[in-house]
Each structure stands twice: as structure tokens, then as C-alpha cells.
Amino acid sequence: MTNSLEQLYQQIILDHARARHGAGLQEHRGEGVVGESHQLNPVCGDEITLRAVVRNGGVHSVSWEGAGCAISMASASVLTDLSVGLPRDEVIELVDNFRDVMRSRGRLEADEEVLGDAAAFSGVSRYPARVKCAMLAWVALEESLLAANH
Amino acid sequence: MTLTFTPASSPGTEGVLTDAEVRRIRNDFPILDTRVNGRPLVYLDSGATSQNPLSVMEAEQEFYEQRNAAVHRGSHSLAVEATDAYEEARAAVARFIGASSNELVWTSNATEAINLLAYSMSNASLGRGGTAAQRFALAPGDRIVVTEMEHHANLIPWQELAARTGAELRFIPVDDDGALRLDEAEALLTPSTRVLAFTHASNVLGTINPVSELVRLAREVGALTVLDACQSVPHLPVDVKALDVDFLVFSGHKMLGPTGIGALYGRAGLLDAMPPFLTGGSMITTVSMERAEYLPSPNRFEAGTQRISQAIALGAAANYLTETGMPRIEAWEASLGARLVDGLSRIEGIRVLGPAAGAGRIGLAAFDVDGVHAHDVGQFLDDRGIAARVGHHCAQPLHRRLGLVATTRASTYLYNTTDEVDFFLEAVSGVRSFFGATS
């Protein structure tokens, strides 16, 4: 295989695609506001239902259920690790940051300080057909957090 | 003096195709020399769209350089030449499927052809077309039957027609292997059935459906038959009279032609009795401020300025296929298809959809890779220069029935070599280990 394929599917992505942190929707009882979002990619049928709990202005928990390619599943897993425990507003900024990188067609390099493991998805931005795969969970979290604002 | 022109690369029509001959054919298709991701292109997506030979592109260019004018209007010399070329193309494409010229209506593609039928029936249901069109009218209590393996193009227009007219839509189910449940077909085709629409060859399973059996069942209850021939007309000899269907649709871009052109075949007499779908210029006889009279088929269904250069290029594509020999193309693709199915079946963790290798299959194979999503399979193949299709192939209900969301499909054509199939199989055999799905 070529370097470009290995750059796209970095080991960290392949690992998360199998580990799937946050997989399995969690019922929430107790304090906090719950937001939920369902996202579908009609091109390939990939989908995700994501539930976020916001407590005291911070992301208390993220859980999701989905089916899709390695990129979309790994992206949901990495996002779960990244977002839990952060202030809600900071996560919304992270989503914007990630979206800018994804849409850059390879021009922007992800800042690992900011995006952590999600920086591994930088290579996806060179494959416009796959950007939606990487974005699926992030859009779902963004919508969930907006829904949990009320 | 008449000169006959034979292209230097004309493959001839005798004997079976061989790899050596296919390599000569490939010289007619410049795009096949392209490199993708630094690798030679291995094009295995002809089921989605085929590549064009030089003769097709030259026909379109020659038309614009020498004969471009509006057809069926105007009497200047160029308009006459353009009209002749346009109608010659219609005759060539009609001949290609065993039809007469007045039985072949140009459309944008097969999807539009099916919509033309559905909307014409819709108009008949509203009383348009008078008593002659009543056999196309639907009402509550009537039934439309399709199959569970249809492409969305041969499903959604019928869903919409049923919703508009109050008719009910039913489908012939498939079994776990994806074969049509003919035992159920008989019970589904009640006397209230007005239309049976089904695919000749499945774009996912590769199955060639038993047309004569289904046509017989439809005939018995007086239902009209509509055949989606998108995956058969480009790949097998097709004779509409032998198939004995009432309507048949296909797309030009899947048979070496350009995009933007397809056709509807309608049995003589049927098309002339149907109310028009699109209306406007070029499809009328007399027009007053209150009403209009319409031309017979095919012009009745060709409102407005038509896809002239595309039709002419499609005529050139039909001629190219005829010169190469459809029986030879069918046999070559059957051997490539069998090699694909056989090879894929030997790879651990691969589930090939549809019937086993052998008779009754066209030269394509869709498959599931255990533990690896189709999009990832497609990306892995693309990295090696292999163009294959991933997704639901516009057949979501069929995938759901087979317990899948998306699959990978390799589809061949006359220009694919056995080396390409082997290269593809070699690549697929490395997919699961790359994605860590073998542990």
C-alpha cells in the first residue's frame, strides 16, 4: 500500500474504529440536561445517534450508537474521549476547528495541542468524499449540545 | 462511388474475445490509459457508467463541427442533414434492440423513461388521452407490482404513481440468496394488477431474471410489463420482440454512449395511445389558444429541442457494440464475472451477493467484507488505482433485505482483461488484514 493510504488510516484511527469508546447509548438519570441527535449520510447509509449530557455548563457524558466506516466510527470514538469533561462552549469551538481542518482539502494541518487524537484525521481532508464520514459524529455532538441548551 | 470505412482497430465479429483482442479494443478507449494515484487505472465501475470509445466522441464532435442544427424544424440544408443524422441514430439504436424507429423514444436516461411512463399513466388516470388511454388509467383497487431487487429508479416513480392514483404497490420478494420468489409472484399478480415493472438484470446481484416466466404471469392477468434493461442492453444481445415486454428502458451512458441520453421502447400501438408527459414544441400537429393535437410516437414524447448530439453519439455506440459482436461481449463478460465470483468466494471473510458463478449472471459482483465497511474497502482499492463502486447502489430495500447497509461492487465490460480481474482479487485479499479484521 502507499504512504497516502497509511496517512489516511493512521494506526490510531484503526484502533479507535475497533475500540469505539462511547458506543452504546446510555440512559441518563439525575442532574443535567440531555441532548440527542441523529445523523445520516445518504450516500453510504452511515448513521449515528448521539446523546450528550450537559451538567453545570460542561459535557458530562457522551454515548452513541452507529454503523459506518472506520473513519466515521473512529471519529465518534475519539470525539467521545476528547469532549467529556470539557466546558460545553469549548467543545462547540472544537467542532468548528475540526470542521475547518476537514474542509481545507489538505491546506490546514490539525493542531495536536487543541484536537489531541483527532489530529490524526488531518489526512481525511485530502479525500473530499470522506470528509462527511469524519464529520458525522461531530455534527451530531454539535446538534446535541445545542439541543441541551434549553 | 460509395466508400466503406473500417476503423483500423475494428475488432471484427468472429470467434470468441481473447485477452489479446481485448487489449486491441482498449486502444479505442483513451481514458483506460489514465493513471490514478500513480497507478494504472483499473476501471471496474461500468455498471455505474461506462467509458466512451473514440468513435463515439468523434461522432459527437463531427456533428458539432459539420452538421449542427435544430432537428424536425426549419428546411435549410443543415437542418435536413441534422435531422437525418438524428433519425439514423434512432434507427441504429432501435435496430440494436430489435425495435422499429417509431417504438423508440429518446429520454435523458432510464430514470426519465420510467417517469415518462408513470406520468403518462397518471395523466390517463385523470382522463387525459380519452378512451384510447383508459387502459393506462389507474384507480383505487388497482395494483402495481415491482420486485424487491429494483434500483430506486424502478421503484420510486411507481410509489409516487400509486400515491397519486390510489392504486396499491406490491413487490415480489427475494429469498436469502437474492433470487426472486416466483412462487409468490403468481399470487401477487391478481387480475387487479395493471403493471408489472422489474429489472432484467440486477445491478447488485448480477442475477438475470426469468423474463419469459414473469411476462407470462403478467399476460395472464392483463398487466402491462415494464422491463428495466439498464444492465442488460449494454451487455447481452437484447431483442424486445423475443422478450415480448410492453415497455423497456435503458441508459446510453452505460453502453459506451454519452450521459444525457437514454430511451424508452414501447410496443407499437401502445405509445400512440398514451397521453404525453412533457408538452410543448415539436410534439404537436395543430394548436389553438384552447387546446392542441399531438403527433404520434416517438415525437409525441419528445417536446422541446432534443439531445441531438447525444443521440447521434449513442447511435455510434450501438454500432460499435454491434461491430464488436454482442454475443462475444456477453460471453467475455460471463467469463470475467465467473472469475470474479469464483475468486472472491475463495477469499476468507468475503460474502458474494447473488447466485453462484455460472449461468444466469452478468459480469459483476457485489460483496461484503466481514469486519470492514464498504467505504473503507473502496478507499483501499482506489489507492491501487482500482475504481469500484461502494454503497447501496441505489437499492436500499434489497440491501436491507440481505441484512446489509453497503457493499462493494466490481462490474466489468468488454474492455476489461482477466489480468485486471486478477489484480482486483489480489487487492481484495489484502483488505481484511490491513484493517485488522482478521484477528
Side-chain angles (χ1 to χ4, degrees):
Chain A
M1 69 230 44
T2 63
N3 286 334
S4 63
L5 194 67
E6 280 173 336
Q7 275 201 338
L8 176 63
Y9 291 107
Q10 295 189 20
Q11 195 55 45
I12 201 162
I13 292 180
L14 295 177
D15 290 345
H16 269 282
R18 306 192 77 71
R20 300 193 178 193
H21 297 160
L25 273 183
Q26 300 296 317
E27 287 299 328
H28 177 71
R29 288 188 195 82
E31 231 184 296
V33 189
V34 182
E36 197 175 297
S37 167
H38 176 250
Q39 295 294 322
L40 172 76
N41 182 351
V43 177
C44 58
D46 284 7
E47 58 187 316
I48 191 166
T49 303
L50 185 146
R51 191 175 288 161
V53 178
V54 177
R55 191 189 282 180
N56 300 326
V59 177
H60 173 72
S61 72
V62 171
S63 64
W64 53 274
E65 225 166 58
C69 64
I71 307 265
S72 69
M73 295 295 98
S75 184
S77 177
V78 166
L79 178 62
T80 304
D81 289 353
L82 189 66
S83 58
V84 173
L86 291 182
R88 175 185 170 281
D89 295 346
E90 204 172 302
V91 172
I92 288 176
E93 272 175 41
L94 276 181
V95 175
D96 281 338
N97 187 319
F98 189 70
R99 183 184 285 119
D100 287 344
V101 175
M102 285 300 105
R103 289 181 178 171
S104 74
R105 295 227 168 192
R107 286 192 304 273
L108 293 179
E109 197 62 36
D111 184 348
E112 213 173 323
E113 298 275 309
V114 179
L115 286 169
D117 281 357
F121 291 90
S122 290
V124 177
S125 73
R126 287 187 198 89
Y127 298 87
R130 303 306 298 277
V131 168
K132 191 148 189 180
C133 311
M135 284 305 302
L136 203 65
W138 295 67
V139 172
L141 179 59
E142 187 180 41
E143 270 203 10
S144 299
L145 294 180
L146 293 174
N149 201 24
H150 304 293
Chain B
M1 188 173 73
T2 310
L3 290 175
T4 46
F5 170 72
T6 310
S9 58
S10 174
T13 54
E14 297 305 310
V16 293
L17 282 177
T18 59
D19 268 312
E21 206 150 1
V22 169
R23 274 192 278 278
R24 279 221 312 268
I25 286 174
R26 291 172 68 86
N27 292 332
D28 297 336
F29 295 82
I31 201 170
L32 298 177
D33 288 333
T34 307
R35 292 179 79 82
V36 168
N37 297 323
R39 308 286 192 105
L41 169 67
V42 175
Y43 190 74
L44 292 172
D45 198 18
S46 294
T49 200
S50 61
Q51 300 301 345
N52 292 9
L54 284 166
S55 63
V56 168
M57 295 184 265
E58 284 163 2
E60 193 158 3
Q61 184 167 0
E62 190 260 4
F63 173 75
Y64 279 119
E65 283 180 353
Q66 298 174 32
R67 294 194 269 186
N68 184 36
V71 300
H72 291 306
R73 59 186 82 173
S75 57
H76 57 79
S77 300
L78 210 55
V80 172
E81 269 194 56
T83 303
D84 283 350
Y86 177 68
E87 290 303 328
E88 271 166 32
R90 191 197 304 275
V93 173
R95 198 163 52 238
F96 185 69
I97 59 164
S100 310
S101 283
N102 62 355
E103 295 175 313
L104 192 107
V105 177
W106 296 125
T107 61
S108 295
N109 46 40
T111 299
E112 190 189 280
I114 296 172
N115 276 278
L116 185 164
L117 278 175
Y119 276 98
S120 176
M121 296 184 77
S122 207
N123 291 339
S125 308
L126 294 169
R128 301 299 302 152
T131 48
Q134 276 311 292
R135 62 177 303 188
F136 304 105
L138 294 179
D142 287 336
R143 180 177 278 194
I144 302 166
V145 177
V146 296
T147 84
E148 203 174 7
M149 68 168 71
E150 295 312 311
H151 186 284
H152 296 162
N154 200 26
L155 170 62
I156 302 168
W158 303 117
Q159 289 177 347
E160 287 291 324
L161 178 62
R164 288 196 299 274
T165 59
E168 94 178 310
L169 178 69
R170 301 290 295 271
F171 64 88
I172 303 169
V174 299
D175 64 21
D176 292 342
D177 294 325
L180 281 185
R181 293 276 307 272
L182 288 176
D183 52 326
E184 301 228 7
E186 195 151 356
L188 279 164
L189 286 159
T190 57
S192 63
T193 306
R194 309 292 310 283
V195 180
L196 171 63
F198 63 102
T199 189
H200 192 179
S202 164
N203 69 318
V204 177
L205 304 162
T207 325
I208 298 174
N209 281 322
V211 178
S212 58
E213 175 70 7
L214 289 162
V215 167
R216 185 182 63 77
L217 292 173
R219 264 303 127 64
E220 280 173 10
V221 297
L224 294 164
T225 48
V226 180
L227 194 66
D228 172 358
C230 282
Q231 299 293 341
S232 58
V233 164
H235 303 286
L236 332 164
V238 166
D239 182 331
V240 290
K241 303 299 173 196
L243 291 170
D244 203 23
V245 291
D246 295 314
F247 299 101
L248 178 146
V249 304
F250 57 98
S251 276
H253 70 96
K254 292 191 202 292
M255 54 180 285
L256 312 184
T259 52
I261 187 84
L264 165 69
Y265 156 80
R267 189 194 292 281
L270 287 180
L271 289 172
D272 286 340
M274 287 166 54
F277 161 42
L278 299 176
T279 54
S282 294
M283 48 81 73
I284 47 82
T285 51
T286 47
V287 180
S288 69
M289 285 313 293
E290 290 74 35
R291 57 192 306 279
E293 302 285 338
Y294 305 122
L295 284 165
S297 163
N299 310 82
R300 163 184 297 245
F301 299 102
E302 294 175 357
T305 299
Q306 289 295 300
R307 300 142 277 236
I308 308 166
S309 66
Q310 290 96 326
I312 288 166
L314 182 55
N319 289 339
Y320 183 93
L321 289 168
T322 302
E323 280 164 24
T324 308
M326 288 307 291
R328 299 204 308 160
I329 292 170
E330 178 187 22
W332 179 248
E333 290 177 34
S335 73
L336 292 180
R339 198 178 184 94
L340 267 178
V341 174
D342 188 54
L344 285 168
S345 306
R346 287 169 197 274
I347 302 171
E348 204 189 318
I350 302 285
R351 169 188 170 196
V352 181
L353 307 190
R361 216 180 204 290
I362 54 171
L364 64 81
F367 57 98
D368 177 55
V369 181
D370 186 32
V372 186
H373 190 278
H375 250 179
D376 297 319
V377 178
Q379 196 79 56
F380 183 89
L381 297 174
D382 181 62
D383 188 60
R384 281 141 202 263
I386 300 169
R389 173 87 185 263
V390 297
H392 48 60
H393 319 304
C394 298
Q396 283 185 17
L398 176 63
H399 275 79
R400 210 168 289 127
R401 169 64 182 83
L402 300 174
L404 299 162
V405 173
T407 53
T408 308
R409 181 186 71 186
S411 53
T412 64
Y413 211 173
L414 75 165
Y415 39 62
N416 288 117
T417 63
T418 52
D419 284 350
E420 286 182 307
V421 170
D422 292 346
F423 180 73
F424 165 81
L425 292 169
E426 177 67 33
V428 172
S429 68
V431 168
R432 292 182 77 232
S433 61
F434 177 81
F435 288 101
T438 45
S439 45

